[in-house]
C-alpha cells in the first residue's frame, strides 16, 4: 500500500505537470468570461511571474519520483501523500475548468491550496529538498494565486470594484503567508513563492504609490524575517 500511494502521487503529479499541454497558451482567466470584464486588473501579477510554474512542475515531479525510488515505505513521507494526491489530482483538471468557468476554477484552486498546505505541514523534515521545499514552493504560489482568483471573481461579478478587491485580497494573502511561514518555521520556499507573486503585483501596478503596489511590497518585505528564520531552521 505505501508503494502504491507513492506511485499514485507520482502519476497524479505527472498529469498535473502535463496539463499545460492539454490547454496550451493559457494566460489567465478570459476577461470576457466575467459579467464585468476584468481587463488589466490590479490584483493580478505581471505576466513574467507565472514562469514559476515551470520550476514548480519540475521540482514536484522530481520529488515525487525520488519519493517512489527511495521513500515509498517511509511513514514520514506517507503522511503527506493523501493530501498531496488530492491537490495534484485537482490540479490536473484545473486548466480545462479555468478556460470555461472562473467561479469553479476559483473553488478548485482553493481546494488545491488547502490540501497543499496540509501536505506541507505533514511533509518530512529530512530530505527537505525533495519533500517540503517543492511542496512549499507550490503551496506558496497557490496562496498568492488563490487570492488573485478571489479578487478577480469579486470584481468580475460586481461585488466590489477592482481596486477594493485588490487591496483586500493582497492584504489577506500577505497575512496568510506571514502566519503560515512563521508557524511553519521551515520550507522557506513557501514565503519566497508568495513574495515573488506580491512583487509581480507591484510591477503590474507600475510601483505607483497610489495603488495596491505599496501593500504588495509591504507584504513581500514582511516575509523576509520569517523566510530567514525558516532558512536557519531548514
Amino acid at each position: 500500500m505505501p508503494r502504491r500511494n507513492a506511485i499514485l502521487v507520482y502519476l497524479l503529479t505527472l498529469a498535473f505537470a502535463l496539463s499545460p499541454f492539454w490547454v496550451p497558451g493559457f494566460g489567465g482567466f478570459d476577461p470576457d468570461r466575467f459579467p464585468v470584464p476584468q481587463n488589466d486588473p490590479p490584483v493580478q501579477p505581471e505576466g513574467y511571474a507565472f514562469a514559476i510554474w515551470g520550476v514548480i512542475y519540475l521540482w514536484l515531479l522530481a520529488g515525487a519520483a525520488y519519493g517512489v525510488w527511495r521513500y515509498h515505505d517511509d511513514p514520514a513521507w506517507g503522511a503527506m501523500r493523501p493530501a498531496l494526491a488530492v491537490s495534484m489530482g485537482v490540479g490536473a483538471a484545473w486548466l480545462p475548468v479555468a478556460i470555461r468557468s472562473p467561479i469553479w476554477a476559483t473553488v478548485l484552486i482553493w481546494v488545491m491550496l488547502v490540501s497543499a498546505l496540509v501536505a506541507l505541514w505533514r511533509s518530512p523534515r529530512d530530505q527537505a529538498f525533495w519533500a517540503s521545499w517543492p511542496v512549499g514552493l507550490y503551496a506558496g504560489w497557490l496562496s498568492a494565486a488563490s487570492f488573485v482568483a478571489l479578487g478577480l471573481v469579486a470584481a468580475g461579478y460586481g461585488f466590489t470594484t477592482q481596486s477594493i478587491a485588490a487591496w483586500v485580497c493582497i492584504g489577506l494573502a500577505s497575512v496568510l503567508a506571514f502566519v503560515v511561514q512563521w508557524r511553519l518555521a521551515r520550507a522557506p520556499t513557501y514565503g519566497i513563492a508568495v513574495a515573488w507573486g506580491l512583487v509581480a503585483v507591484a510591477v503590474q501596478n507600475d510601483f505607483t504609490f497610489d495603488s495596491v503596489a505599496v501593500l504588495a511590497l509591504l507584504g513581500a518585505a514582511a516575509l523576509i524575517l520569517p523566510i530567514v528564520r525558516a532558512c536557519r531552521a531548514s
Side-chain angles (χ1 to χ4, degrees), residues 42-43 161-173 209-216:
V43 74
T161 65
Q162 284 188 341
S163 179
I164 292 175
W167 279 91
V168 171
C169 290
I170 295 303
L172 291 175
F209 287 101
D210 60 345
S211 72
V212 75
V214 174
L215 182 60

Side-chain angles (χ1 to χ4, degrees), residues 117-136:
L117 287 173
V118 172
L120 178 59
W121 234 275
R122 294 177 177 175
S123 62
R125 289 183 174 271
D126 62 334
Q127 296 296 326
F129 182 86
W130 300 105
S132 61
W133 285 9
V135 175

Side-chain angles (χ1 to χ4, degrees), residues 36-91:
V36 181
Q38 294 299 290
N39 296 302
D40 199 27
V43 74
Q44 188 161 290
E46 187 69 19
Y48 76 85
F50 294 91
I52 195 175
W53 273 116
V55 180
I56 291 171
Y57 288 138
L58 291 175
W59 207 351
L60 283 173
L61 193 57
Y66 190 74
V68 172
W69 177 43
R70 294 292 301 275
Y71 293 97
H72 59 270
D73 58 352
D74 189 311
W77 281 68
M80 76 170 177
R81 283 182 176 132
L84 189 57
V86 170
S87 195
M88 295 295 99
V90 175

